[in-house]
Amino acid sequence: MTAEVRKKIILLFWALYVVALIVIILLFIAISKGSIGYMPPVEQLANPIDKYASVVFSVDGKTLGSYGQSKDNRIFVDYKELSPDLVKALIATEDIRFSQHSGIDIQGLLRAVVKRGILMQKSGGGGSTLTQQLAKQLYSPGAANFVERLLQKPIEWVIAVQLERYYTKEEIVNLYLNKFDFLNNAVGIQSATRTYFSTTPKGLKSEDAATLIGMCKNPSYYNPVRHNDRTRQRRNVVLQQMQKAGYLTVRERDSLAALPLTLHFRKMDHKEGPAPYFREYLRMVMTAQKPDRDNYPASWQKPKFREDSTAWENNPLYGWCNKNKKTDGSFYNIYTDGLKIYTTIDARMQQYAEDAVREHVGTDLQPIFSAEKQGRSYAPFSKDLSQEEVNEVLTRSMQQTDRYRGMKRAGMSETDIRNEFMKPVEMSVFSWNGPIDTLMSPWDSIRYHKSFLRTAFMSMDTHTGHVKAHVGGIDYNNFQYDMVTGGRRQIGSTIKPFLYSLAMIEGISPCDRMLHVQQQLMDENGHPWIPRNADQKHVGEMVSIQWGLQNSSNWVTAYLMKQLSPYTLVRLLHSFGMTGEIDPVISLSLGTADISVSEMVGGYSTFANGGIRVEPLYVTRIEDSFGNTVATFNSQMHEVLPEDVTYKMLYMLRSVMDGGTGSRVRFRYNLRAPMGGKTGTTQNHSDGWFMAFTPSLVSGCWVGGEERSIHFDRMTEGQGASMALPIYALFMQKVYADPTLGYSDTETFNVPAQYANPCPNTDFISQPYTGGIDKIFE
């Protein structure tokens, strides 16, 4: 080869090199400009993850739950909230020179090319940096053909370099861990730590951090739920890398590697966790959804609402997401905008309330009810229902199921649907000891689940309206109708304090006496109404009005109703916060109105709060994903009763607890705190109520069957003092036993001296209450 030919070849190689260099430069310029492949705009680079689940916090700082999309429930976590071991494990395993490069690790890239590309060594490692992996997670849609596969890496390189320009190293680590999908509905490190280890990113142990980082290589292959041994081996590889990087000593590595891979797995589900009924109520209110009243239990009368009733709309939270806009002009989305919702719920008190429900209804009351109905062909319904009526109730319940609606949409006839409902299938049914897998027909499962007594309990601060506990039912997985805010049942004798308040307003005194005999009233149609009493105490004797409330005498109540107008009573009930349409009839005085537990709790706050009704408050503030406060909420108060009337009612309601129908909280549960309250029982024992308040807390509880025709046979078990009162008593026992809550059973009602004793000169029958409870414990 001549020198001239050699020179031409060299020049040709240089020319090809320059051309290739120019082509590569132009290629990267084109990629960076978005002319080739996909290059995210600056706005996306500045905010690469724009979908975060909103998180609900309790007042004591606990996470109650989150609202996210079904496959993307990512919860934002800041870098400072990450465990140091988590960050060390990630860098040691995925990008040991992370702090030294600007998005592309040339050394690692050349090593991968030589070892994997030329020498074909599988252990040669990858050339992708952590930033490149983040770029791939964020913006790579996947290659559909050879050309796209060829360009995929250069595009990732360009995006990685751009990300390094916009973010610090800490922010890139944080973005990576917030973005990664750890499977099992655990998107992002916050959800992953909760799902697999029931902890927070800050609280991760070293070995658990290594497990999650090990999953980053291939979460399906290294799924700790399905492949524990395989994932444990991968965890140990991560621990080995941490030791190589100097983050662990050999001794620490070996001790951690010897540990078993132990999970505390709980797949994230809005039905699980504390306060599920409350969280669902909050979601419905903020997104402007109202309870589906078409799904009321079949035998219930659907509640009527006044035309001017705006109970939900007047709630400042109602439709909040549809009324408030972000800085970009779009409305907030509770599922994707990463809102932080700070509630008034106290996680400790919520747990105490849920435990009280389980202890009384699940352990004590339900076994008695089941034993009473055992062996009866009409169980769990009342014997007064005919078989035809039972079938009608079950049919309407069947028509409310998703199974029925699906068959209806598929075009099946009623006969075919009913036949399908009669066929046994494998299913899981509720029990207080956990789900039971069984073979049962859907028709029988409807009847089976109706045999469980339902309940609702709510407790709130008497002065601020902050709701501390909200239990809408016995089990959200199986019974999703919220009886605190959505359900409305007849309130029985718990209405009497409202009637007595009206009587006090009209000038009647607790000290006034009446002859305790049966009363007869005439309704507007000229028909006589003659209420009966549950017992025959002091018949024909003179008793005081106060004694009548203390012992829940229907005759004293009717005596007062005879002197008052049911129309005036209805207006007063609305002032107490009852939003439904209430018929102005004389029988209303015994509690025929359908009212919710939350409305009753709000109404009873009037008696403990100097005549001022405070509306229940569930949320104090909302922050956006950046921590900016975008909304605050304060208590709404309404003056209902004059001062003198309020203290007369407080006096009488305290006597209910200290010697009256509510005194079981004293002699059986040993609660000594100053309290006022009222029991309530409806016709046929269909509903048991108990309302009570201390100087700090006002609470309400309802217990009954899903259908009004499901109830105890006898008054002994079916009265409010037996069904509902124990839940309140158990709850308060737990509250007073927890000093961290700050409630004391020695706090007192602040009563002005002139109202301390409205009836100082009455005998035992007309006034057994003396202002103290010590004699009850003698």
Side-chain angles (χ1 to χ4, degrees):
M1 182 182 295
T2 64
E4 188 174 342
V5 172
R6 189 181 300 112
K7 182 178 180 181
K8 288 182 178 179
I9 292 174
I10 292 173
L11 287 173
L12 179 62
F13 273 112
W14 273 107
L16 290 174
Y17 173 76
V18 171
V19 169
L21 189 62
I22 293 173
V23 169
I24 290 173
I25 292 173
L26 291 175
L27 175 67
F28 278 101
I29 291 174
I31 290 173
S32 65
K33 299 295 183 182
S35 302
I36 297 177
Y38 172 72
M39 186 63 188
V42 173
E43 294 79 8
Q44 280 195 30
L45 286 171
N47 188 25
I49 306 178
D50 61 353
K51 290 185 173 72
Y52 285 103
S54 294
V55 186
V56 182
F57 296 99
S58 68
V59 73
D60 53 328
K62 299 295 190 297
T63 300
L64 296 177
S66 61
Y67 306 115
Q69 294 177 321
S70 58
K71 295 184 180 180
D72 195 356
N73 68 334
R74 184 184 297 104
I75 299 172
F76 176 78
V77 60
D78 194 73
Y79 182 85
K80 64 179 180 293
E81 300 175 80
L82 299 176
S83 161
D85 287 333
L86 192 65
V87 177
K88 292 173 183 177
L90 179 64
I91 292 174
T93 307
E94 298 296 332
D95 193 351
I96 192 61
R97 283 177 293 277
F98 177 64
S99 63
Q100 302 168 18
H101 61 68
S102 297
I104 303 174
D105 182 8
I106 301 299
Q107 181 180 339
L109 181 61
L110 291 175
R111 184 198 68 234
V113 170
V114 172
K115 289 191 173 183
R116 295 177 66 92
I118 298 175
L119 301 180
M120 306 300 289
Q121 295 179 1
K122 291 184 178 180
S123 61
S128 292
T129 65
L130 195 63
T131 317
Q132 286 175 242
Q133 294 179 45
L134 175 62
K136 184 176 182 179
Q137 285 188 56
L138 292 171
Y139 304 115
S140 178
N145 51 55
F146 175 76
V147 175
E148 289 185 0
R149 284 195 296 273
L150 197 64
L151 293 173
Q152 191 170 15
K153 278 297 179 184
I155 292 172
E156 288 176 12
W157 292 338
V158 173
I159 296 176
V161 172
Q162 293 278 45
L163 287 172
E164 291 274 354
R165 288 177 57 193
Y166 278 99
Y167 297 99
T168 65
K169 292 293 185 179
E170 290 181 350
E171 289 171 334
I172 289 171
V173 168
N174 202 51
L175 283 170
Y176 180 91
L177 291 173
N178 273 295
K179 178 64 179 177
F180 197 85
D181 187 346
F182 290 88
L183 299 187
N184 292 304
N185 203 26
V187 183
I189 192 64
Q190 177 79 283
S191 298
T193 55
R194 286 174 55 188
T195 298
Y196 292 106
F197 300 108
S198 296
T199 186
T200 62
K202 190 77 170 178
L204 270 178
K205 299 177 182 177
S206 299
E207 63 272 23
D208 297 338
T211 298
L212 293 177
I213 296 304
M215 292 178 68
C216 294
K217 184 174 184 179
N218 187 331
S220 296
Y221 190 75
Y222 296 111
N223 183 340
V225 178
R226 294 189 174 185
H227 311 294
N228 189 282
D229 290 339
R230 183 191 300 169
T231 307
R232 180 173 177 270
Q233 293 174 16
R234 176 62 185 166
R235 179 202 68 181
N236 291 348
V237 169
V238 174
L239 294 172
Q240 172 70 19
Q241 293 299 105
M242 293 177 71
Q243 184 267 318
K244 281 185 179 180
Y247 297 137
L248 294 175
T249 65
V250 173
R251 185 175 181 179
E252 287 172 332
R253 178 204 65 190
D254 292 343
S255 63
L256 292 173
L259 295 173
L261 175 50
T262 304
L263 300 177
H264 297 282
F265 180 74
R266 189 183 71 181
K267 193 169 183 178
M268 291 184 68
D269 189 328
H270 75 282
K271 295 180 181 179
E272 302 293 339
Y277 291 95
F278 163 73
R279 287 186 281 113
E280 177 61 9
Y281 165 75
L282 192 59
R283 183 192 68 81
M284 292 176 64
V285 171
M286 291 187 67
T287 56
Q289 298 181 47
K290 295 182 180 180
D292 183 0
R293 306 204 181 278
D294 289 334
N295 278 338
Y296 255 53
S299 69
W300 290 24
Q301 178 183 0
K302 291 183 183 179
K304 297 177 288 184
F305 291 88
R306 294 177 292 156
E307 292 182 2
D308 64 337
S309 174
T310 52
W312 280 61
E313 291 84 343
N314 282 343
N315 187 329
L317 275 175
Y318 181 77
W320 187 90
C321 291
N322 304 344
K323 298 174 183 176
N324 294 273
K325 295 182 179 181
K326 297 178 285 186
T327 53
D328 63 2
S330 63
F331 289 106
Y332 281 102
N333 188 318
I334 198 172
Y335 307 108
T336 61
D337 283 335
L339 299 172
K340 296 177 181 177
I341 306 167
Y342 293 90
T343 73
T344 61
I345 294 291
D346 188 298
R348 297 160 295 181
M349 296 175 71
Q350 178 68 30
Q351 188 62 55
Y352 296 154
E354 293 178 7
D355 290 346
V357 165
R358 169 174 284 275
E359 288 175 31
H360 177 59
V361 180
T363 304
D364 297 333
L365 202 61
Q366 186 64 48
I368 298 172
F369 183 75
S370 298
E372 179 185 277
K373 305 301 179 186
Q374 188 174 10
R376 300 181 181 181
S377 60
Y378 52 82
F381 300 94
S382 165
K383 60 185 178 182
D384 297 328
L385 255 66
S386 66
Q387 188 59 50
E388 182 180 353
E389 289 173 320
V390 169
N391 288 338
E392 184 180 346
V393 170
L394 294 175
T395 298
R396 275 187 266 175
S397 295
M398 175 188 73
Q399 293 169 346
Q400 293 172 347
T401 64
D402 291 335
R403 185 191 298 265
Y404 174 89
R405 290 167 178 166
M407 292 179 179
K408 201 68 177 175
R409 284 193 298 270
M412 294 180 65
S413 67
E414 286 290 330
T415 301
D416 290 340
I417 292 175
R418 183 176 289 272
N419 289 338
E420 288 296 317
F421 264 77
M422 297 298 176
K423 296 178 181 178
V425 296
E426 292 182 354
M427 64 173 65
S428 179
V429 297
F430 170 77
S431 84
W432 278 104
N433 295 319
I436 299 175
D437 293 327
T438 186
L439 189 68
M440 184 182 294
S441 72
W443 180 267
D444 287 338
S445 74
I446 293 172
R447 189 170 195 149
Y448 170 80
H449 283 104
K450 284 185 182 296
S451 68
F452 289 95
L453 294 172
R454 313 298 169 81
T455 189
F457 177 85
M458 174 176 154
S459 185
M460 79 175 194
D461 188 287
T462 56
H463 307 298
T464 65
H466 289 192
V467 176
K468 299 298 183 181
H470 174 127
V471 183
I474 59 174
D475 180 77
Y476 187 76
N477 278 301
N478 293 279
F479 312 103
Q480 294 181 14
Y481 203 87
D482 183 1
M483 289 301 301
V484 169
T485 57
R488 309 176 78 85
R489 293 288 286 253
Q490 289 186 352
I491 60 174
S493 291
T494 56
I495 199 174
K496 290 177 181 177
F498 304 131
L499 175 71
Y500 276 65
S501 296
L502 180 58
M504 298 301 107
I505 292 173
E506 294 296 328
I508 298 174
S509 166
C511 323
D512 292 345
R513 297 179 177 226
M514 63 158 286
L515 183 63
H516 195 227
V517 294
Q518 192 170 58
Q519 304 291 308
Q520 176 174 308
L521 286 75
M522 304 299 291
D523 65 18
E524 289 185 331
N525 298 316
H527 299 138
W529 180 65
I530 308 174
R532 293 178 299 175
N533 253 347
D535 58 52
Q536 299 297 311
K537 288 182 180 179
H538 302 292
V539 176
E541 299 180 39
M542 296 297 293
V543 297
S544 70
I545 302 301
Q546 179 273 330
W547 182 91
L549 184 60
Q550 182 185 40
N551 293 277
S552 199
S553 168
N554 288 342
W555 291 351
V556 176
T557 300
Y559 169 81
L560 295 177
M561 188 72 257
K562 188 185 297 186
Q563 302 174 65
L564 303 169
S565 165
Y567 292 91
T568 308
L569 176 58
V570 169
R571 287 194 294 270
L572 184 62
L573 287 172
H574 290 321
S575 297
F576 272 103
M578 315 309 165
T579 60
E581 183 177 305
I582 302 172
D583 292 331
V585 294
I586 53 178
S587 59
L588 174 63
S589 59
L590 297 186
T592 56
D594 291 313
I595 299 174
S596 70
V597 171
S598 62
E599 288 180 353
M600 289 294 288
V601 171
Y604 267 70
S605 69
T606 308
F607 304 121
N609 203 30
I612 306 297
R613 174 174 65 86
V614 57
E615 293 189 11
L617 183 69
Y618 287 99
V619 174
T620 54
R621 77 181 191 276
I622 299 174
E623 293 180 358
D624 63 17
S625 58
F626 303 104
N628 302 311
T629 299
V630 293
T632 57
F633 304 92
N634 297 304
S635 305
Q636 297 185 49
M637 300 185 180
H638 311 272
E639 185 174 359
V640 179
L641 298 177
E643 185 180 51
D644 63 323
V645 171
T646 302
Y647 292 117
K648 289 175 183 177
M649 290 307 305
L650 175 61
Y651 181 78
M652 289 191 286
L653 289 169
R654 290 186 65 184
S655 75
V656 173
M657 307 297 284
D658 299 340
T661 57
S663 60
R664 193 176 300 195
V665 300
R666 306 297 194 194
F667 65 79
R668 181 166 298 180
Y669 296 97
N670 202 35
L671 291 172
R672 292 175 171 266
M675 294 178 179
K678 186 70 188 75
T679 56
T681 309
T682 62
Q683 190 172 10
N684 297 324
H685 330 124
S686 294
D687 307 276
W689 285 82
F690 188 66
M691 305 297 304
F693 55 87
T694 68
S696 296
L697 292 172
V698 55
S699 308
C701 184
W702 166 87
V703 177
E706 180 181 297
E707 313 289 343
R708 296 184 197 270
S709 55
I710 299 174
H711 53 72
F712 279 103
D713 292 343
R714 300 185 305 167
M715 185 71 167
T716 304
E717 296 86 9
Q719 62 181 309
S722 299
M723 291 206 292
L725 179 149
I727 294 176
Y728 171 77
L730 291 168
F731 170 75
M732 292 305 297
Q733 281 182 340
K734 298 173 191 297
V735 168
Y736 286 134
D738 186 347
T740 65
L741 293 174
Y743 296 104
S744 171
D745 62 0
T746 60
E747 59 184 338
T748 59
F749 291 101
N750 185 19
V751 181
Q754 65 268 33
Y755 301 123
N757 191 355
C759 304
N761 301 313
T762 53
D763 58 29
F764 180 79
I765 294 178
S766 55
Q767 180 53 41
Y769 175 60
T770 62
I773 62 172
D774 290 338
K775 68 176 183 180
I776 296 177
F777 296 98
E778 292 176 354

